[in-house]
Amino acid sequence: MSDPLHAAAPRPDFLTKPVLDGDLVTLRVVTAADIPALRPLWEEPECRRLTGSHPLPPEESAEVAEAKVAAWYTTRAGQDDRLDLAVVDRAGGLVVGEVVLNEWSPGNESCSFRIALVAAGRNRGLGTEATRLICGYGFEKLGLHRISLEVYAFNPRARRAYEKAGFVVEGVLRDALLWEGRWVDSTAMSILAAEWERHRGHPGTG
Ligand SMILES: CC(C)(COP(=O)(O)OP(=O)(O)OC[C@H]1O[C@@H](n2cnc3c(N)ncnc32)[C@H](O)[C@@H]1OP(=O)(O)O)[C@@H](O)C(=O)NCCC(=O)NCCS
């Protein structure tokens, strides 16, 4: 007999990849065709710094690295435990970044969130809207209880965008990143389902 106190929540349907329309952006599944548009996310030094992405192991050849990138983006549409969406700028129809719900914790009904936009997509409200769209989908359609992230202390723009979308600071992970010889703190943030229900990504008006 199953134990009702410990019954597992239904598995969220991560395999259905939605198209999410906002005023500024459309989110849809990311594919290998998006690699040229997204390449600055892993090649631009400033983006690598802001996301705390250390260099690849020097022993890995460019060909091997490129094959890994191709395999990664080719397989995103088939993932049943995460959501990797491209951010399309509705103004010009170009892909300007990606948003991800990953690290799904089945027992805890939670996911991590991350976002990165190329330079042309930044500072125009696209990141805030993309965050609201995917988090709304995570809470309202996937039934998540908690979505969390970490943001480095040298990235106040990202923190501001997250706060605008409803992320709440939980605490500081001290010296979480070593970047070019300096230790950098990381701030942990999250949104809970009950909070989302109140403000739906607009905490100032909730
Ligand atoms: C972080 C990111 C997703 C934010 O998206 P965005 O579209 O650029 O941000 P938005 O325009 O929606 O909002 C940015 C907010 O931060 C504010 N801001 C910009 N620079 C800032 C700074 N140096 N300090 C404080 N606030 C800042 C803006 O004024 C805006 O707030 P406002 O609407 O109240 O004026 C995007 O800039 C990005 O991908 N950057 C590169 C990669 C990255 O940092 N990823 C996140 C890793 S945690």
Side-chain angles (χ1 to χ4, degrees):
M1 203 168 83
S2 65
D3 174 353
L5 286 178
H6 298 94
R11 185 186 171 91
D13 176 13
F14 283 102
L15 202 48
T16 299
K17 306 301 180 187
V19 175
L20 305 175
D21 279 322
D23 296 330
L24 304 173
V25 299
T26 294
L27 308 185
R28 50 93 175 144
V29 68
V30 72
T31 73
D34 301 317
I35 292 173
L38 296 177
R39 188 172 294 283
L41 300 185
W42 56 90
E43 290 193 348
E44 182 202 56
E46 177 65 354
C47 200
R48 294 191 67 88
R49 183 180 77 93
L50 291 170
T51 55
S53 306
H54 287 298
L56 295 170
E59 64 274 14
E60 188 168 284
S61 70
E63 290 76 20
V64 169
E66 201 56 37
K68 282 186 181 173
V69 167
W72 178 263
Y73 283 101
T74 302
T75 52
R76 293 311 87 195
Q79 302 299 305
D80 66 359
D81 63 351
R82 54 182 290 148
L83 199 54
D84 299 77
L85 301 179
V87 180
V88 181
D89 180 358
R90 294 190 67 168
L94 297 177
V95 170
V96 293
E98 63 179 359
V99 273
V100 178
L101 289 178
N102 62 1
E103 298 177 344
W104 174 52
S105 175
N108 302 310
E109 300 170 35
S110 63
C111 268
S112 297
F113 164 79
R114 69 175 170 78
I115 180 170
L117 304 180
V118 300
R122 297 173 198 156
N123 300 315
R124 295 190 285 127
L126 278 58
T128 303
E129 186 179 84
T131 301
R132 288 181 177 134
L133 285 170
I134 196 168
C135 289
Y137 186 82
F139 288 120
E140 295 166 27
K141 301 286 189 230
L142 298 176
L144 296 176
H145 173 71
R146 166 186 156 90
I147 299 177
S148 62
L149 61 79
E150 284 180 32
V151 57
Y152 295 118
F154 54 42
N155 199 350
R157 174 178 55 196
R159 176 169 166 163
R160 171 80 186 128
Y162 302 150
E163 285 174 337
K164 283 194 296 175
F167 279 90
V168 174
V169 171
E170 296 183 321
V172 173
L173 289 73
R174 299 174 301 159
D175 289 358
L177 176 75
L178 177 57
W179 194 261
E180 294 178 348
R182 289 180 181 222
W183 292 105
V184 183
D185 290 347
S186 173
T187 300
M189 307 180 80
S190 70
I191 309 179
L192 302 180
E195 294 164 350
W196 186 267
E197 204 176 319
R198 276 200 303 277
H199 60 59
R200 293 185 190 272
H202 296 269
T205 58

